[in-house]
Each structure stands twice: as C-alpha cells, then as structure tokens.
Amino acid sequence: MAFIRNLKENDYLGWFEGKFESKSLFQDEIDITIQNNTDVAKEYAEKCVVHYNALNNNEDLLRRIQESLAKFMMFMYEACEWDEISKKNIETAIQGFNEGNSLVKYLTKPRLYIKLPEDIDEIGYVIQTECPWEPEHMCAIIIRENELKYVGPSEGNTPWDDDDEYYCIWENC
C-alpha cells in the first residue's frame, strides 16, 4: 500500500517530493522529500512513513522529543534577543508547555526528509518544522530507528551522521 501521494521529481535537485497523511506527531497531510530518485528510495520512504506514523505508540520516544524541545526552547528564549512579536510567540509556547501542552503543537509546516542509508533495513528520517524559538533555522527532529538523535536548529544533519555531529549545548544545561 502506498502512503506517499503526488510524488514528483524536483527538476532542480533531482529528488522526489510528495505528501502523506500524518497520523502521528502532526495531524494532517504533510510534505515529504526523498533525497534520491530511485525506486529503492521510494520503497524505503514508504517504510519511514509507516515508522513515523507509529510514533504515537512509542511513549518513551515522545517523552524524549518533548523534553528535548523544551530544553531547546528555553535555551533559545534565554540566549537570544527577541522582537516583541517573536517574544510573545515564544512566551505563548512556554505557557502552553507549563500547562501541559505538547510543544509539537507550536511547530508548523512539518516536512519529512528521507536520505537513503547504506543499510536500508535501518529506518531513519528528519522531521523539519518552522518553530517560534528558532525562526531563522527552523527545528529539526532526527530519528534513527527508535532513538532520538537530535532536536535543534536545522543544519542539514541526517540520521546517518556520527553522534558527535548532533551536539547541542542545551543538552548539558
């Protein structure tokens, strides 16, 4: 069964882009980019979508995502100077978090990025979103199998990077 719809090749990059129905962190149709234009990459991306859509069944991983988003948000709030509108948006997210809301609620325009690994039996992907506490670089959530590898600014990392490339100063705060 194909979950990815409207798959088209990006003429400039040669990658595939499409959409799928998200039943996990984000509820709605979201975009997907497959950073390869082969049938193997399309099949692999379908497996990643299945894994992504099952995230709601992994309470430990969801808890780690929430904790990492909170650390990232608080670090950025305290470390940066904000204009009035941005500060209000971040303070709304902080208030919502303090009231028990998931920080995913404040992330917008999600996109799943799939890069084909050497071992196609291992699942990994990047969820990239716009977020109020990192409006310039967006937010990346990197998952490899059932492990959260990174939550922070989107800097082009993939699930297949070495662990030292995922360092975030706020993880030590």
Side-chain angles (χ1 to χ4, degrees):
M1 174 178 221
F3 296 102
I4 302 170
R5 298 184 307 279
N6 304 328
L7 200 58
K8 296 178 182 151
E9 187 173 349
N10 176 307
D11 293 332
Y12 180 70
L13 297 171
W15 298 347
F16 283 125
E17 295 178 333
K19 298 182 178 294
F20 70 96
E21 193 65 34
S22 173
K23 299 174 183 172
S24 187
L25 294 176
F26 303 92
Q27 303 294 313
D28 205 353
E29 183 177 74
I30 68 173
D31 294 325
I32 185 169
T33 296
I34 307 167
Q35 297 175 320
N36 195 305
N37 63 356
T38 65
D39 287 339
V40 171
K42 287 191 285 188
E43 290 172 23
Y44 178 77
E46 290 285 342
K47 291 179 190 177
C48 290
V49 168
V50 169
H51 186 277
Y52 165 84
N53 273 333
L55 287 179
N56 283 347
N57 300 325
N58 189 333
E59 290 181 24
D60 184 52
L61 185 57
L62 292 174
R63 179 187 50 75
R64 285 183 278 143
I65 291 170
Q66 178 78 348
E67 289 170 355
S68 294
L69 284 169
K71 287 178 183 179
F72 176 35
M73 175 181 67
M74 293 310 296
F75 177 84
M76 295 299 290
Y77 179 70
E78 294 168 2
C80 300
E81 292 187 30
W82 299 99
D83 63 58
E84 212 171 296
I85 294 171
S86 296
K87 186 172 183 178
K88 183 177 180 190
N89 289 339
I90 296 168
E91 288 173 345
T92 298
I94 291 170
Q95 179 180 353
F97 173 70
N98 290 335
E99 293 171 357
N101 290 336
S102 170
L103 288 174
V104 171
K105 173 182 177 178
Y106 303 97
L107 304 177
T108 59
K109 298 182 182 175
R111 177 180 288 268
L112 205 66
Y113 283 90
I114 310 294
K115 182 174 182 178
L116 197 62
E118 289 181 20
D119 177 4
I120 61 170
D121 291 328
E122 190 172 17
I123 298 295
Y125 46 87
V126 177
I127 305 162
Q128 182 175 286
T129 70
E130 291 187 7
C131 94
W133 55 90
E134 181 47 289
E136 185 177 341
H137 296 107
M138 304 178 77
C139 176
I141 301 168
I142 300 177
I143 296 173
R144 183 173 179 178
E145 289 296 321
N146 290 315
E147 184 179 355
L148 180 63
K149 300 300 278 184
Y150 175 84
V151 172
S154 184
E155 297 177 342
N157 293 91
T158 75
W160 319 117
D161 294 338
D162 293 329
D163 284 345
D164 61 342
E165 294 181 52
Y166 300 123
Y167 175 76
C168 298
I169 192 170
W170 48 88
E171 290 297 330
N172 295 322
C173 296

